[in-house]
Amino acid sequence: MLLLWPLAHTQIFMPRSGAMDRAIAAQVRAAIPADVRTRCLFVFEGPVAYYQLTDARRVTRFPFSAHISSRREAAALGEPPRVALDAAMARHPGTVITVTAPARPDRNAEMEARLLGILHQGYRPIARLPHRFFTVDETLVIWRRNDLR
């Protein structure tokens, strides 16, 4: 019976989760404003695939969100995460993506708090959508700069 697990997993379970992931991605993509091509997108936490899926301009040279949002990656940048975060937000991205209560144990709580302080001053949430991180369900929050519709 144990020998049948790989077959069952690839033929039954993966297509279901893949279809669900594609549906979630389509829903998130539809909620991201089209002007991210010119007004920029910053994915602080969440799938960096949304840069590609929306043809968005980035505000940082660190495209992988964990470079700034993870304690484990903090020394990998060549500069403090705070400097990288401040530089990204100084470019005033039109849209920012965060994750509420991410389940990742290596979260950089200091950077998360810093970003949320900035967001609460000049941005508003425009969507809260489901997101799956492997087997953990989370919520993506899409933030929009207050001066943009």
Side-chain angles (χ1 to χ4, degrees):
M1 185 65 149
L2 208 54
L3 295 174
L4 293 176
W5 171 246
L7 180 63
H9 181 70
T10 59
Q11 299 302 311
I12 298 170
F13 300 111
M14 287 198 53
R16 288 182 191 163
S17 66
M20 182 174 21
D21 289 343
R22 284 189 296 280
I24 289 171
Q27 189 178 17
V28 173
R29 184 174 180 246
I32 295 173
D35 70 358
V36 294
R37 291 176 185 92
T38 57
R39 299 276 186 188
C40 301
L41 173 66
F42 178 45
V43 179
F44 177 74
E45 279 185 307
V48 296
Y50 291 117
Y51 288 123
Q52 182 81 19
L53 291 173
T54 60
D55 196 27
R57 288 179 56 200
R58 296 187 317 258
V59 293
T60 177
R61 62 188 176 102
F62 306 112
F64 297 102
S65 54
H67 285 142
I68 298 173
S69 65
S70 165
R71 286 182 321 208
R72 181 179 52 219
E73 296 288 335
L77 297 177
E79 63 186 45
R82 181 182 183 127
V83 171
L85 177 62
D86 288 350
M89 293 308 292
R91 295 195 60 200
H92 306 288
T95 305
V96 177
I97 296 178
T98 62
V99 174
T100 60
R104 297 170 195 92
D106 68 335
R107 288 173 44 217
N108 189 329
E110 180 186 346
M111 292 305 96
E112 184 178 346
R114 183 165 185 76
L115 177 66
L116 287 175
I118 294 167
L119 291 174
H120 286 296
Q121 289 177 2
Y123 291 77
R124 67 191 183 285
I126 60 168
R128 295 177 192 277
L129 300 164
H131 164 62
R132 286 179 356 116
F133 180 69
F134 295 102
T135 59
V136 178
D137 291 329
E138 299 176 328
T139 302
L140 283 181
V141 181
I142 301 173
W143 299 79
R144 186 74 169 148
R145 214 172 63 208
N146 284 339
D147 64 322
L148 301 173
R149 294 182 353 112

